[in-house]
Amino acid sequence: MAESNAGGVRVERWVRTLLGCCALMLALACEPALKEGVVATKEFHPAHTQMILMPMTVSSGKTTTITMVPMFFFYPDSYSVDIKKFNGKKWERATWWVDRYTYEQIVVGGYYKAKDDDLDEQPRERKS
């Protein structure tokens, strides 16, 4: 009597599809940010502190307790520049965080090319 492996084939096909979707999402996430373009806006962000509650799980073997622990992040004075570029079909946009001197030199509507020391996310420090 021969056994059917139809269920195994379905699972294998499902796993391959899932892995393919994950690979596609990873490739899209690794796409480099727009490095140069027309300055759409520029903003000054004053220093501030943000508190985030993070869950911490403690298990004694019999019971599990979840406690919310506060985490504090300090954001110093920072400067952002939004740039945009038309790629033939749509506008691409990116935000770069620059130093104060660069921020003061930039003109909205002008052209900007990101430098190596510019950041693609807001600078922050974790405080205990």
Side-chain angles (χ1 to χ4, degrees):
M1 182 189 228
E3 291 185 28
S4 173
N5 194 16
V9 172
R10 277 192 228 122
V11 170
E12 183 179 341
R13 189 176 299 152
W14 183 80
V15 169
R16 283 186 182 175
T17 304
L18 182 63
L19 289 175
C21 289
C22 288
L24 179 63
M25 288 181 2
L26 183 62
L28 292 174
C30 293
E31 183 178 325
L34 184 63
K35 295 263 187 186
E36 57 186 288
V38 177
V39 177
T41 61
K42 65 180 199 173
E43 286 187 64
F44 166 69
H45 305 270
H48 65 281
T49 301
Q50 179 182 25
M51 182 195 68
I52 300 173
L53 293 174
M54 298 291 292
M56 183 175 86
T57 306
V58 179
S59 177
S60 66
K62 291 184 178 183
T63 62
T64 301
T65 305
I66 299 175
T67 306
M68 300 305 278
V69 177
M71 293 180 70
F72 295 92
F73 292 96
F74 173 72
Y75 294 85
D77 283 347
S78 55
Y79 307 87
S80 68
V81 176
D82 291 328
I83 58 173
K84 64 181 182 176
K85 187 175 189 179
F86 192 71
N87 70 1
K89 294 182 181 180
K90 63 177 185 170
W91 285 96
E92 294 180 26
R93 295 181 76 96
T95 301
W96 289 95
W97 299 86
V98 298
D99 59 40
R100 182 178 179 177
Y101 177 77
T102 304
Y103 175 81
E104 291 173 350
Q105 303 302 316
I106 293 173
V107 177
V108 174
Y111 192 80
Y112 181 72
K113 183 174 181 178
K115 296 182 244 164
D116 290 337
D117 58 343
D118 293 344
L119 302 171
D120 58 355
E121 63 181 37
Q122 188 174 14
R124 69 178 182 185
E125 302 169 12
R126 182 173 169 214
K127 301 288 184 181
S128 298

